[in-house]
C-alpha cells in the first residue's frame, strides 16, 4: 500500500499507483492468467485497457477468482481524463505510461479509453507534443542548429499524425507509437528516410513542399500495416501489404488474426474445377512468416460456395518448380474454425506450388470449433522441411503432389481424417519421429501413392483406422504439367523403394479396413504394361488390437520383425493376408507377389495368421503363431496356395506354428501349349512333359512350341500372325498389330486415327480419341521351368497342428529323404525292409523306386510294393504300386504313388516306416531294387 504522502502527491498530480502489467487484448476478468507475456500473481495491479466492452477498462487487482477494480481507481474522480498510470513489466508495455481519456466517466456505463502517454525514453518523448506531433518551432530550431540526429528522432502516436508532420529539414528517422488510433500494441515502427518521394511514410517539407519518403526498418509485423489481431477485423489486407514490402519476413504479434479470402479467384486447384480464394498472395522470395503466439484464423469469403478452396496463403497458379524460393513459416498457429459457415469447410493454411525451399518450424494447425479444414497443399515443390508440427482437430493435414526432397520430423497428428497424403509422383520422402492419435478407428495416417524412395517410421499410433496405404493410381499423369492439363496417362507411376520401420501402436482398424494396405485393386483399373509396387519393406513393427495387413500385389516385398497381437480380420482374411491377382491374362502378366517374411509373431488373432495366395516367390522364415482363431474358426496359421499359377518358388524354415499349415498347388491345372496363340507374360504352359513360363508377349508359332530343358529365353515366333495397323479402324481389347517394326496390343477399345498409328515405348499409347495400345515383343519367349512350382521345407520348423498338402504339392515339396537298398527279390516270397524310425513329427511326401534290370508288366504274375507306417504294431498303408500294368525300366526312377497327405504318411516320434513286397500268381523277380523316401519333419 502506498504511503500517505505519496498517495496525496499522486492524487494532486493525477497519477495513479503504478501497475505491474497492462493488457494487450481483451481478457476474461477472472483467474490468474498470462498478461503481456507474464503470469499474474494474486494481488498484482493490472491495467485493463483493451476490453471489447470498453466500460470494463481500468485498473484491477488480480485474483484466483473474480477480479475487482483497485481501491484507488474505481470512481469518476480517480479515472478522470488526464489521469496517468505507469506500467512496470511486460513484453510490449514495460516502462510505458498510459493516460485516461474519458471526461467524467460514469463507471460501469461509459467506455473508459486509455491511450499511450509516454515511455521511460524521456528524451524521445520530449520530441512529441501533447497533440501527437512534434512542436514545429522546436523541431525547426533544432534543425537550424544541426542537432536533429538519428538518436533523437521525432515520435508520433500514429502513422497518420506522423505524415502530417512538415518540418523544414527531413530527419533521418521517424518513429510512431502505433499504426493508427486503435493503438494496437507493437504496431508502431521506426521509419528511415529512403531517398525517394514515396514509401511507407511520406512527409511534405515546409517551405519547399518536397515529398520525402520513409521505409520501415527491420522485419515488419502485420500490425504495422494495420492488422488488429482482434479476431474480428480482416487482417488479410494488412498482411498482404507487409508481405509486399519484400523485406525478408513478416512477424505476427500475439493475438488472433482473422484472415478473409479476397473476392476474386486467381486460379483453380490443379486440374480440378475448384476455385481458389486466398487471403495472402505469396509473390516474394526469401520471406519468413513468424509469430510464436499468433493465431491465423481462416474464414469464408462473402458469397462462398461449397466447392471453394480458401487458403490463408497461396502462390500463383501452377508455377514451375523453383519459381518461388525460400518461404518459411515459423511458430504460427492456424485455426480453421469456420463454424459460422455451414456451406464451406475448405479452409487451408497454405496452397503452395513451385516453391524451392519451403519450410515449416514449430507450426500448429487445429480448429477451436468443429473439426474441419486442411493444413497445406504442396505441389511441384522441392526441398520441403517440416519440423515440430502439431496438428489437432482438423480434417486433413498435408497433401504432397509431384514434389522432391520432402522431410517431415518431430510431429504430432491428433483427431484427423487423413493426416498425410503423398499423391502424384513425389521422390525422396522422409517422415520420421512422431505420433498419430485419432478419435475413432477410421482415420488414415499416411496415404502413399506413386512415391519413389521413401523412408517412413519411428512413430506410434493409437485409435486410427489405417496406418499406411502403398499403391499407385492408374490416373496419375507422368508430369505435373500433364496433371495440370488433365492430360492422358502415358505411363503408370509405380511406388517403389519404400521403407516403413520402427512403428508401434494399438487400437487400429476394425477388421474391415486393414492397418497396412499394399498394392492395387484391379477392380479400380487395369495397369497392364507395368508391374506392381516394388521394393517395399515393413520392418520392426509391433501392434496390438490391430486390423490385418493386406497386400493385394507387390514385387520384392519384405516383412521383417513384425508382431501383431489380437489381429482383427474379416472372414477369408488372415492377420497377414498376401495375394496377387490372376483372374485374367493382364492380371497374370502384370500383377504379382514376391514376398519374404523374416521374423513375424502373430498371437491371439481372430482368424489364421498368414495367408499367401498366388505367389511367384514366397519365403517364410521365423514365423511364430500362438492362440489364433479366437472367434472359434479353424483357419490354418500358414497357408500358401495356388502356387502353380505363377510357378511359385517357396521356402519355409525356422517357424514355430501352433496351428495348422496348408500348402496348395496343382500342376495338372496347367494348360498345354497351343499354336498360333497370343500369350501374355507369365503364362505357364506344359509341352512335351516339361513346364514353361512366357517372359515376352506375342503370338506362338504354328507348330512345335518350346522344347528346351535349359533355356531362359527360347523364342517361339508367331509374329507373322499380327496384322498391320490400319487407320480409321475399330479395334478391340487384345487385338495385336504391327506398325513399322514394332508390335502393339490393344488395352482400350476404340477407333484408330486416320494416320500414323502407335509409336514409342510408353505403357499406354493413345491412338485417335479413345483407342489405347501398349507395346509388346510380337513373339513369345519361354523360360524353362525344372518344376511347375516348389517348396523348400527347412529342418528347423515346428508345427503343433497338422501340415496338409493339397493338389499335387507332395510332388514338389522338398525336405529330407532317406534311401534304402533292398537288393534282388526272387520271383516268390514276401520281403520286408525297414526304412527308418521317426524321431520328429514327419509327413511322407514321395517314394521313388529304381531297379538295375528291367521288369516286364504282367497282370497275372506280379509283385506289389507297399510302403507302410507302423504305430504300436498297427500298420497303415502310405502308398502301393505293382507290376501289373507298369513294370520297371532299368536305372529309371518310378514314382511310388504317394498322394497328397495320405493317412499313413503322418508319423509321430517312434513310428516305423517299412517296405513290404509280396507276390501274386507265380510272381516276378526284381533285380537291384532300391528306393528313396522323401519327407518333411515338423
Amino acid at each position: 500500500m502506498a504511503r500517505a504522502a505519496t498517495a496525496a502527491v499522486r492524487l494532486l498530480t493525477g497519477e495513479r499507483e503504478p501497475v505491474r502489467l497492462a493488457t494487450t487484448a481483451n481478457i476474461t476478468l477472472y483467474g490468474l492468467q498470462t498478461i503481456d507475456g507474464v503470469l499474474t500473481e494474486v494481488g498484482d495491479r493490472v491495467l485493463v485497457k483493451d476490453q471489447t466492452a470498453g466500460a470494463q477498462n481500468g485498473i484491477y487487482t488480480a485474483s484466483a477468482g473474480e477480479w475487482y477494480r483497485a481501491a484507488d481507481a474505481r470512481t469518476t474522480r480517480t479515472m478522470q481524463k488526464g489521469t496517468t498510470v505507469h506500467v512496470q513489466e511486460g513484453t510490449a508495455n514495460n516502462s510505458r505510461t498510459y493516460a485516461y481519456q474519458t471526461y467524467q466517466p460514469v463507471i460501469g456505463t461509459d467506455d473508459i479509453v486509455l491511450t499511450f502517454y509516454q515511455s521511460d525514453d524521456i528524451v524521445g518523448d520530449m520530441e512529441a507534443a501533447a497533440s501527437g506531433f512534434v512542436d514545429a518551432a522546436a523541431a525547426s530550431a533544432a534543425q537550424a542548429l544541426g542537432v536533429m540526429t538519428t538518436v533523437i528522432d521525432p515520435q508520433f502516436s500514429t502513422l497518420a499524425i506522423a505524415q502530417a508532420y512538415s518540418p523544414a529539414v527531413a530527419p533521418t528517422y521517424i518513429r510512431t507509437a502505433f499504426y493508427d488510433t486503435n493503438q494496437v500494441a507493437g504496431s508502431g515502427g521506426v521509419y528511415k528516410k529512403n531517398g525517394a518521394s514515396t514509401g511507407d511514410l511520406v512527409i511534405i517539407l515546409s517551405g519547399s513542399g518536397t515529398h520525402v519518403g520513409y521505409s520501415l526498418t527491420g522485419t515488419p509485423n502485420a500490425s504495422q500495416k494495420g492488422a488488429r489481431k482482434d479476431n474480428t477485423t480482416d487482417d488479410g489486407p494488412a498482411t498482404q501489404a507487409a508481405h509486399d514490402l519484400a523485406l525478408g519476413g513478416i512477424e505476427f504479434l500475439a493475438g488472433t488474426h482473422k484472415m478473409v479470402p479476397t473476392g476474386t479467384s486467381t486460379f483453380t486447384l490443379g486440374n480440378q474445377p475448384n476455385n481458389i480464394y486466398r487471403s495472402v498472395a505469396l509473390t516474394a522470395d526469401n520471406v519468413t512468416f513468424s509469430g510464436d503466439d499468433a493465431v491465423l484464423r481462416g474464414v469464408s469469403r462473402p458469397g462462398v460456395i461449397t466447392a471453394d478452396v480458401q487458403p490463408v496463403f497461396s502462390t500463383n497458379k501452377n508455377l514451375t518448380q523453383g519459381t518461388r524460393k525460400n518461404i518459411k513459416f515459423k511458430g504460427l498457429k492456424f485455426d480453421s474454425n469456420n463454424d459460422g459457415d455451414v456451406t464451406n469447410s475448405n479452409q487451408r493454411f497454405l496452397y503452395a506450388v513451385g516453391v524451392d525451399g519451403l519450410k515449416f518450424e514449430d507450426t500448429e494447425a487445429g480448429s477451436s470449433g468443429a473439426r474441419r479444414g486442411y493444413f497445406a497443399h504442396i505441389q511441384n515443390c522441392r526441398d520441403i522441411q517440416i519440423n515440430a508440427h502439431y496438428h489437432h482437430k482438423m480434417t486433413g493435414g498435408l497433401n504432397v503432389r509431384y514434389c522432391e526432397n520432402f522431410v517431415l520430423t518431430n510431429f504430432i497428428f491428433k483427431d484427423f481424417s487423413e493426416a498425410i497424403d503423398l499423391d502424384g509422383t513425389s521422390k525422396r520422402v522422409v517422415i520420421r519421429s512422431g505420433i498419430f492419435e485419432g478419435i475413432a478407428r477410421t482415420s488414415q495416417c499416411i496415404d502413399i501413392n506413386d512415391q519413389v524412395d521413401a523412408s517412413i517410421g519411428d512413430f506410434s499410433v493409437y485409435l486410427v483406422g489405417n496406418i499406411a496405404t502403398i499403391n499407385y493410381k492408374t490416373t496419375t499423369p507422368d508430369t505435373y504439367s500433364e496433371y495440370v492439363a488433365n492430360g492422358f496417362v502415358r505411363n503408370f507411376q509405380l511406388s517403389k523403394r519404400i521403407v516403413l520401420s520402427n512403428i508401434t501402436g494399438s487400437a487400429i482398424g476394425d477388421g474391415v479396413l486393414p492397418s497396412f494396405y499394399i498394392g492395387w485393386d484391379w477392380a479400380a483399373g487395369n495397369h497392364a504394361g507395368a508391374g506392381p509396387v516394388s521394393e517395399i519393406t515393413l520392418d520392426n513393427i509391433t501392434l496390438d488390437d490391430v486390423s490385418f495387413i493386406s497386400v493385394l500385389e507387390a514385387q520384392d516385398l519384405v516383412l521383417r520383425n513384425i508382431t501383431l497381437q489380437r489381429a482383427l480380420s474379416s472372414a477369408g482374411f488372415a492377420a497377414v493376408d498376401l495375394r496377387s491377382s490372376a483372374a485374367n491374362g493382364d492380371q497374370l502378366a502384370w500383377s504379382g507377389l514376391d514376398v519374404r517374411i523374416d521374423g513375424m509373431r502373430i498371437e491371439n488373432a481372430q482368424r489364421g495368421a498368414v495367408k499367401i495366395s498366388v505367389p511367384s516367390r514366397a519365403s517364410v522364415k521365423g514365423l511364430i503363431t500362438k492362440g489364433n482363431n479366437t472367434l472359434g474358426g479353424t483357419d490354418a496359421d500358414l497357408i500358401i496356395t495356388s502356387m502353380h499359377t505363377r510357378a511359385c518358388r517357396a521356402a519355409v524354415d525356422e517357424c514355430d506354428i501352433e496351428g495348422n499349415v496348408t500348402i496348395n498347388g496343382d500342376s495338372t491345372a496347367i494348360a498345354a501349349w497351343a499354336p498360333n496363340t497370343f500369350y501374355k507374360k507369365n503364362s505357364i504352359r506344359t509341352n512335351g512333359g516339361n513346364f514353361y513360363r512366357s517372359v515376352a508377349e506375342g503370338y506362338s508359332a504354328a507348330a512345335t512350341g518350346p522344347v528346351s530343358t535349359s533355356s531362359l529365353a527360347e523364342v517361339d515366333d508367331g509374329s507373322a500372325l499380327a496384322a498391320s495397323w490400319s487407320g480409321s479402324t475399330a479395334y478391340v481389347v487384345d487385338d495385336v498389330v504391327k506398325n513399322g517394326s514394332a508390335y502393339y496390343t490393344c488395352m482400350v477399345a476404340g477407333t484408330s486415327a486416320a494416320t500414323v498409328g502407335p509409336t514409342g515405348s510408353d505403357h499406354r499409347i493413345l491412338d485417335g480419341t479413345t483407342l489405347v495400345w501398349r507395346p509388346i515383343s510380337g513373339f513369345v519367349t519361354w523360360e524353362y521351368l525344372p518344376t511347375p512350382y516348389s517348396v523348400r521345407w527347412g529342418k528347423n520348423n515346428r508345427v503343433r497342428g497338422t501340415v496338409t498338402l493339397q493338389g499335387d504339392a507332395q510332388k514338389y515339396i522338398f525336405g529330407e529323404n532317406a534311401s534304402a537298398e533292398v537288393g534282388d527279390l526272387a520271383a516268390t516270397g514276401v520281403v520286408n525292409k525297414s526304412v527308418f524310425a521317426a524321431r520328429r513329427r514327419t509327413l511322407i511326401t514321395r517314394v521313388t523306386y529304381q531297379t538295375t534290370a528291367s521288369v516286364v508288366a504282367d497282370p497275372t504274375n506280379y509283385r506289389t510294393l507297399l510302403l507302410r507306417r507302423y504305430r504300436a504294431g498297427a500298420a497303415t498303408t502310405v502308398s502301393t504300386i505293382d507290376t501289373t500294368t507298369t513294370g520297371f525300366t532299368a536305372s529309371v526312377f518310378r514314382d511310388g504313388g504317394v498322394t497328397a497327405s495320405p493317412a499313413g504318411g503322418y508319423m509321430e516320434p517312434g513310428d516305423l516306416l517299412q517296405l513290404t513286397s509280396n507276390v501274386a500268381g507265380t510272381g516276378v523277380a526284381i533285380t537291384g531294387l532300391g528306393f528313396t523316401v522323401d519327407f518333411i519333419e515338423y
Side-chain angles (χ1 to χ4, degrees):
M1 179 176 178
R3 292 174 297 172
T6 302
V9 171
R10 293 189 187 282
L11 184 60
L12 290 171
T13 60
E15 181 183 357
R16 297 272 70 78
E17 186 85 13
V19 296
R20 184 187 182 198
L21 300 165
T23 61
T24 58
N26 183 74
I27 68 168
T28 300
L29 297 170
Y30 187 93
L32 299 179
Q33 55 194 287
T34 299
I35 303 293
D36 195 13
V38 179
L39 181 62
T40 56
E41 300 177 4
V42 174
D44 282 347
R45 288 167 59 83
V46 179
L47 176 62
V48 177
K49 60 181 179 63
D50 304 286
Q51 295 300 95
T52 303
Q56 294 180 347
N57 287 335
I59 301 174
Y60 287 79
T61 301
S63 168
E66 195 78 27
W67 286 21
Y68 296 98
R69 293 186 184 274
D72 65 336
R74 61 176 59 166
T75 65
T76 297
R77 182 182 179 189
T78 54
M79 291 192 286
Q80 185 61 268
K81 181 177 180 179
T83 302
T84 60
V85 58
H86 183 267
V87 184
Q88 297 172 320
E89 298 182 33
T91 301
N93 294 313
N94 180 31
S95 302
R96 288 180 171 236
T97 299
Y98 289 87
Y100 286 86
Q101 299 294 340
T102 306
Y103 179 69
Q104 293 186 341
V106 176
I107 308 305
T109 301
D110 292 342
D111 286 352
I112 307 299
V113 179
L114 292 109
T115 62
F116 173 73
Y117 178 65
Q118 69 178 20
S119 70
D120 286 354
D121 181 7
I122 301 300
V123 176
D125 291 339
M126 288 174 60
E127 294 294 323
S131 61
F133 57 88
V134 171
D135 182 84
S140 297
Q143 293 157 7
L145 294 173
V147 297
M148 183 68 77
T149 71
T150 59
V151 176
I152 303 176
D153 309 315
Q155 177 170 310
F156 303 89
S157 61
T158 67
L159 183 63
I161 294 174
Q163 295 198 116
Y165 175 45
S166 183
V169 177
T172 303
Y173 292 91
I174 294 176
R175 294 187 295 166
T176 61
F178 303 104
Y179 174 76
D180 56 22
T181 56
N182 291 302
Q183 297 189 359
V184 175
S187 64
V190 177
Y191 299 80
K192 183 179 181 181
K193 187 165 59 175
N194 59 24
S197 60
T198 59
D200 301 310
L201 184 157
V202 178
I203 64 173
I204 302 174
L205 300 183
S206 62
S208 66
T210 301
H211 288 67
V212 180
Y214 290 78
S215 298
L216 270 169
T217 61
T219 300
N221 66 63
S223 294
Q224 289 174 320
K225 286 296 184 180
R228 296 278 296 277
K229 59 187 181 67
D230 58 5
N231 202 20
T232 300
T233 307
D234 178 12
D235 286 344
T239 303
Q240 186 71 66
H243 167 272
D244 292 346
L245 295 175
L247 294 178
I250 300 171
E251 182 182 358
F252 291 89
L253 302 179
T256 299
H257 298 71
K258 182 180 178 182
M259 308 297 283
V260 182
T262 62
T264 302
S265 173
T266 52
F267 57 90
T268 56
L269 174 64
N271 63 354
Q272 304 300 316
N274 308 68
N275 287 324
I276 299 292
Y277 294 88
R278 61 190 176 188
S279 297
V280 180
L282 299 175
T283 57
D285 295 336
N286 305 311
V287 60
T288 297
F289 297 89
S290 62
D292 289 340
D293 294 308
V295 177
L296 277 61
R297 180 178 166 225
V299 298
S300 287
R301 67 179 183 90
V304 68
I305 63 174
T306 302
D308 288 347
V309 177
Q310 302 182 97
V312 173
F313 299 98
S314 174
T315 60
N316 287 337
K317 176 182 180 179
N318 303 333
L319 300 179
T320 301
Q321 192 176 91
T323 304
R324 292 271 70 83
K325 294 180 175 63
N326 302 327
I327 297 175
K328 181 177 181 179
F329 300 93
K330 182 179 180 181
L332 294 175
K333 300 177 178 65
F334 171 54
D335 184 356
S336 61
N337 180 355
N338 192 34
D339 290 356
D341 177 14
V342 297
T343 302
N344 184 283
S345 61
N346 284 335
Q347 284 66 50
R348 306 284 196 278
F349 177 74
L350 173 68
Y351 180 58
V353 181
V355 182
D356 191 345
L358 180 63
K359 295 183 179 180
F360 301 79
E361 183 177 328
D362 293 317
T363 50
E364 181 177 334
S367 172
S368 59
R371 188 178 83 180
R372 62 196 304 161
Y374 298 80
F375 181 56
H377 282 252
I378 304 170
Q379 298 186 359
N380 204 30
C381 294
R382 182 182 177 91
D383 295 348
I384 305 110
Q385 295 174 274
I386 304 172
N387 184 53
H389 177 67
Y390 177 52
H391 186 100
H392 59 100
K393 202 178 180 184
M394 186 174 288
T395 302
L398 298 162
N399 180 277
V400 182
R401 187 186 295 268
Y402 292 98
C403 290
E404 297 180 1
N405 305 341
F406 175 88
V407 179
L408 169 63
T409 54
N410 303 314
F411 56 85
I412 296 177
F413 285 88
K414 298 175 67 175
D415 190 359
F416 55 88
S417 177
E418 183 179 52
I420 303 169
D421 185 5
L422 303 175
D423 218 341
T425 302
S426 291
K427 300 176 181 178
R428 297 174 296 280
V429 172
V430 174
I431 300 173
R432 292 280 167 183
S433 301
I435 300 290
F436 295 98
E437 180 182 340
I439 60 171
R441 298 169 74 145
T442 55
S443 53
Q444 183 177 33
C445 299
I446 310 174
D447 194 7
I448 306 168
N449 300 303
D450 314 306
Q451 302 301 295
V452 177
D453 296 320
S455 176
I456 299 170
D458 295 310
F459 57 75
S460 292
V461 296
Y462 175 69
L463 204 61
V464 301
N466 172 254
I467 297 174
T469 290
I470 305 174
N471 61 17
Y472 64 92
K473 297 180 178 178
T474 58
T475 56
T476 301
D478 291 43
T479 65
Y480 183 70
S481 60
E482 289 175 300
Y483 162 74
V484 167
N486 208 18
F488 176 74
V489 176
R490 296 181 292 107
N491 292 288
F492 299 114
Q493 309 305 310
L494 307 182
S495 289
K496 57 185 176 182
R497 296 192 298 274
I498 296 171
V499 175
L500 288 93
S501 61
N502 304 333
I503 299 170
T504 64
S506 63
I508 303 159
D510 56 4
V512 177
L513 177 71
S515 57
F516 288 93
Y517 180 97
I518 299 172
W520 178 253
D521 182 356
W522 280 73
N526 185 323
H527 66 71
V533 297
S534 66
E535 300 158 83
I536 311 298
T537 297
L538 273 61
D539 186 16
N540 201 25
I541 295 172
T542 302
L543 305 169
D544 178 37
D545 184 17
V546 57
S547 200
F548 66 110
I549 294 174
S550 175
V551 176
L552 293 187
E553 57 179 16
Q555 195 72 18
D556 195 8
L557 171 67
V558 177
L559 305 178
R560 181 188 297 117
N561 299 330
I562 310 293
T563 297
L564 303 183
Q565 298 280 353
R566 298 189 295 162
L568 316 175
S569 60
S570 302
F573 290 86
V576 177
D577 199 273
L578 315 173
R579 310 180 179 207
S580 75
S581 296
N584 56 47
D586 281 344
Q587 293 180 17
L588 184 63
W590 299 103
S591 184
L593 179 61
D594 173 356
V595 59
R596 176 159 55 95
I597 295 173
D598 187 1
M600 178 177 288
R601 180 184 291 268
I602 311 291
E603 294 188 4
N604 302 310
Q606 287 184 334
R607 305 182 195 278
V610 176
K611 184 176 183 180
I612 304 174
S613 302
V614 199
S616 55
R617 186 175 290 108
S619 173
V620 181
K621 181 180 179 181
L623 172 64
I624 300 173
T625 72
K626 183 178 180 181
N628 297 321
N629 285 303
T630 60
L631 295 180
T634 58
D635 292 357
D637 267 348
L638 174 62
I639 300 173
I640 306 177
T641 186
S642 300
M643 292 198 299
H644 61 279
T645 305
R646 295 189 178 278
C648 175
R649 299 297 181 261
V652 181
D653 201 4
E654 298 183 19
C655 296
D656 189 348
I657 298 172
E658 184 181 74
N660 298 327
V661 173
T662 299
I663 296 176
N664 170 277
D666 186 3
S667 66
T668 65
I670 297 174
W673 174 89
N676 302 326
T677 301
F678 177 41
Y679 285 109
K680 299 182 180 181
K681 280 181 56 178
N682 293 323
S683 295
I684 311 298
R685 291 293 184 268
T686 63
N687 195 44
N690 296 319
F691 296 93
Y692 300 89
R693 171 169 43 207
S694 60
V695 293
E697 299 174 287
Y699 280 112
S700 61
T704 307
V707 295
S708 172
T709 56
S710 61
S711 176
L712 300 180
E714 182 179 359
V715 173
D716 180 14
D717 191 352
S719 59
L721 291 171
S724 294
W725 176 88
S726 174
S728 303
T729 301
Y731 288 100
V732 298
V733 173
D734 288 344
D735 278 349
V736 176
V737 298
K738 181 179 182 182
N739 195 34
S741 60
Y743 295 86
Y744 304 88
T745 184
C746 177
M747 288 185 67
V748 180
T751 300
S752 61
T755 59
V756 182
T759 60
S761 58
D762 287 345
H763 297 154
R764 304 174 79 243
I765 301 168
L766 185 64
D767 181 12
T769 56
T770 59
L771 177 61
V772 179
W773 302 95
R774 64 178 178 84
I776 61 173
S777 69
F779 53 83
V780 191
T781 301
W782 297 98
E783 172 194 2
Y784 168 71
L785 302 173
T787 59
Y789 64 92
S790 65
V791 181
R792 182 69 176 92
W793 185 273
K795 294 183 178 181
N796 300 308
N797 293 312
R798 181 174 74 162
V799 179
R800 301 185 189 184
T802 300
V803 176
T804 300
L805 304 181
Q806 296 177 339
D808 57 4
Q810 78 281 0
K811 293 183 179 181
Y812 303 108
I813 188 167
F814 301 91
E816 310 306 313
N817 62 68
S819 296
E821 176 141 2
V822 181
D824 299 336
L825 278 67
T828 60
V830 176
V831 176
N832 291 298
K833 178 72 174 183
S834 293
V835 183
F836 65 81
R839 295 181 300 170
R840 299 177 57 196
R841 300 185 75 196
T842 299
L843 174 60
I844 307 302
T845 58
R846 282 184 306 281
V847 59
T848 54
Y849 298 94
Q850 71 279 345
T851 62
T852 58
S854 296
V855 176
V856 178
D858 184 337
T860 304
N861 304 300
Y862 58 88
R863 265 196 177 274
T864 300
L865 300 176
L866 298 95
L867 192 66
R868 291 171 170 172
R869 180 201 71 195
Y870 284 83
R871 178 178 296 167
T876 304
T877 300
V878 177
S879 69
T880 303
I881 64 170
D882 56 39
T883 60
T884 57
T885 58
T886 303
F888 286 96
T889 300
S891 303
V892 175
F893 284 109
R894 178 179 170 185
D895 184 75
V898 177
T899 59
S901 303
Y906 290 96
M907 302 180 68
E908 296 293 332
D911 289 352
L912 299 178
L913 189 66
Q914 181 174 295
L915 175 68
T916 298
S917 178
N918 49 38
V919 298
T922 59
V924 63
I926 298 178
T927 303
L929 177 65
F931 66 97
T932 300
V933 176
D934 288 270
F935 57 92
I936 62 173
E937 293 181 318
Y938 60 94

